[in-house]
Amino acid sequence: MSFLAFDELKKKVSNLIHEDTQRHDHHMDLTVAEVHRINGAGSLDFGGSEFKPATTQKLNPEKQKVDDDYGWWKLQQGPYRIIFNESVDFEDGSAALISAHPHARQAGLISDSYVISDDSSDALSLNVTVSEAGCNIKENARIAELRIISG
């Protein structure tokens, strides 16, 4: 098993913001489209019949100046779900690994990493926890990395 090189990876991903910036040898950066605060408990059970996802509230970015092209999310301590601009096509049964971008970790975000495959119909996302210090995130910021695993 190995990770696809960028040129093959690019064929499976749509909605790149800026290819030259998001490009790496064997992964690509994923960018922030939406931020949702996780504000209500979900439910898990063994059989799944009582599963309920956590509720979220979509947050709106705020521009620092009226003529700014992009705004910022100024996140306080707590749990959030980041929705990415990009999407992945898994027609061939491949799988992908999503993990935090090194800058996200250095900015103090705590996040999960996970593998997704062709049975996932949800938008690409990443759950993060913001520390007591908070974190500011600009629209379209590179916040995660995507690697596609080839068999």
Side-chain angles (χ1 to χ4, degrees):
M1 242 189 274
S2 61
F3 294 120
L4 292 182
F6 183 84
D7 289 336
E8 290 301 309
L9 177 61
K10 182 177 85 168
K11 294 175 186 176
K12 298 177 178 296
V13 177
S14 55
N15 302 324
L16 287 174
I17 298 297
H18 189 263
E19 181 180 322
D20 289 345
T21 305
Q22 292 176 259
R23 166 190 210 98
H24 300 277
D25 289 343
H26 294 281
H27 74 275
M28 73 172 46
D29 296 331
L30 298 175
T31 60
V32 179
E34 298 177 11
V35 175
H36 297 247
R37 182 170 181 87
I38 299 172
N39 61 3
S43 297
L44 297 170
D45 68 313
F46 181 76
S49 64
E50 297 176 89
F51 167 75
K52 184 177 99 181
T55 59
T56 64
Q57 174 189 2
K58 182 179 177 184
L59 305 177
N60 294 317
E62 295 180 13
K63 294 182 179 183
Q64 293 181 334
K65 298 177 196 158
V66 176
D67 59 341
D68 283 347
D69 289 334
Y70 301 103
W72 291 80
W73 290 280
K74 296 185 177 185
L75 305 181
Q76 301 299 311
Q77 182 178 15
Y80 297 87
R81 180 166 296 131
I82 307 295
I83 309 296
F84 302 119
N85 287 301
E86 297 77 16
S87 58
V88 180
D89 176 12
F90 286 112
E91 287 181 1
D92 63 358
S94 56
L97 172 66
I98 295 178
S99 58
H101 189 285
H103 290 168
R105 290 190 299 274
Q106 292 170 6
L109 294 180
I110 301 163
S111 70
D112 58 354
S113 294
Y114 65 99
V115 174
I116 57 173
S117 60
D118 59 355
D119 60 355
S120 177
S121 61
D122 295 335
L124 290 183
S125 65
L126 185 70
N127 288 341
V128 300
T129 300
V130 174
S131 70
E132 185 178 334
C135 187
N136 301 322
I137 301 173
K138 193 170 187 178
E139 284 182 272
N140 297 327
R142 294 177 295 138
I143 197 165
E145 298 177 339
L146 173 76
R147 290 171 172 80
I148 294 186
I149 303 160
S150 64

